[in-house]
Amino acid sequence: MLAGLTVKHIAMAGRLGSGPALGPQDSSAAGAAKTRRATDVKRLLWLLPAVLLAPLGWAAFAPLHLPSRDELFEIPPGTYARRMAGDKVEILPDRIDLTLGLNDVLLLRNLDEVPQQFGPVLIMPGQSFRLPFEVASTYSFACSAHASGQMAVVVAPKPERGWPALQWRFQQLKKLWKKEER
């Protein structure tokens, strides 16, 4: 009798421990589990494009907003002295890109010790000059802060919804990344 219980306990232990690694498994249960996993993977594959395309859709059709319409550029202290010493100082870009209705005001701040000329305006030390734009176009200005003496301001129209808005947002990200690299 004792031997019978021992065999019985061993048989029960074998059934309790059965599984993929320990022993045989019912083939219909394994097939059902495999089908469920395949279905779950298919659902995830259908969901993946939606998850990836949702942010692009938002970026293309959401309203465009910026915290300020001003695009600030500062002429740092010592710019004139460095230029007179022969240093090739490029403090402002040769071309400034603005967008109507979003960032369409150029704001120049002279932190240098000498006056700087921008177009017909003389910006004294410590002063700022705001120039709003109301028409999309390319404007050329004489600028004493540039080695070439010239600067272009390109004012683009506000982008339409869809692909143009998506391109505009991408350009803003590139501009931000360039500023962070400096």
Side-chain angles (χ1 to χ4, degrees):
M1 178 117 172
L2 190 58
L5 286 175
T6 306
V7 172
K8 188 176 180 182
H9 284 99
I10 292 172
M12 285 177 54
R15 272 186 264 137
L16 291 175
S18 68
L22 298 175
Q25 192 176 33
D26 185 15
S27 63
S28 63
K34 189 175 183 180
T35 303
R36 277 194 304 276
R37 282 193 300 270
T39 303
D40 290 345
V41 168
K42 286 179 184 176
R43 284 183 187 153
L44 284 175
L45 288 176
W46 277 101
L47 188 60
L48 186 63
V51 169
L52 293 176
L53 292 177
L56 288 176
W58 174 86
F61 295 103
L64 299 170
H65 295 290
L66 290 176
S68 171
R69 292 179 70 162
D70 293 345
E71 187 73 23
L72 172 65
F73 291 93
E74 293 182 330
I75 302 168
T79 300
Y80 179 78
R82 287 177 55 200
R83 187 166 285 133
M84 291 299 110
D87 191 5
K88 186 176 178 180
V89 181
E90 292 297 330
I91 54 164
L92 298 173
D94 291 332
R95 173 183 161 155
I96 295 175
D97 292 302
L98 302 176
T99 306
L100 279 181
L102 296 172
N103 63 332
D104 55 6
V105 178
L106 178 63
L107 176 58
L108 293 172
R109 187 168 293 144
N110 185 7
L111 302 176
D112 201 3
E113 296 82 22
V114 298
Q116 298 286 340
Q117 182 174 352
F118 181 75
V121 177
L122 190 63
I123 308 170
M124 299 306 285
Q127 285 187 331
S128 296
F129 173 67
R130 290 182 89 238
L131 180 61
F133 292 91
E134 297 176 0
V135 177
S137 186
T138 300
Y139 301 88
S140 295
F141 294 97
C143 181
S144 62
H146 278 86
S148 68
Q150 294 285 50
M151 184 172 80
V153 178
V154 178
V155 182
K158 187 174 182 177
E160 300 288 326
R161 289 181 177 224
W163 184 249
L166 192 60
Q167 288 177 314
W168 184 85
R169 287 184 197 274
F170 183 68
Q171 289 172 350
Q172 295 305 305
L173 280 174
K174 281 180 23 182
K175 206 190 275 189
L176 182 65
W177 289 333
K178 284 182 182 178
K179 280 184 182 178
E180 288 179 1
E181 287 177 357
R182 292 181 198 166

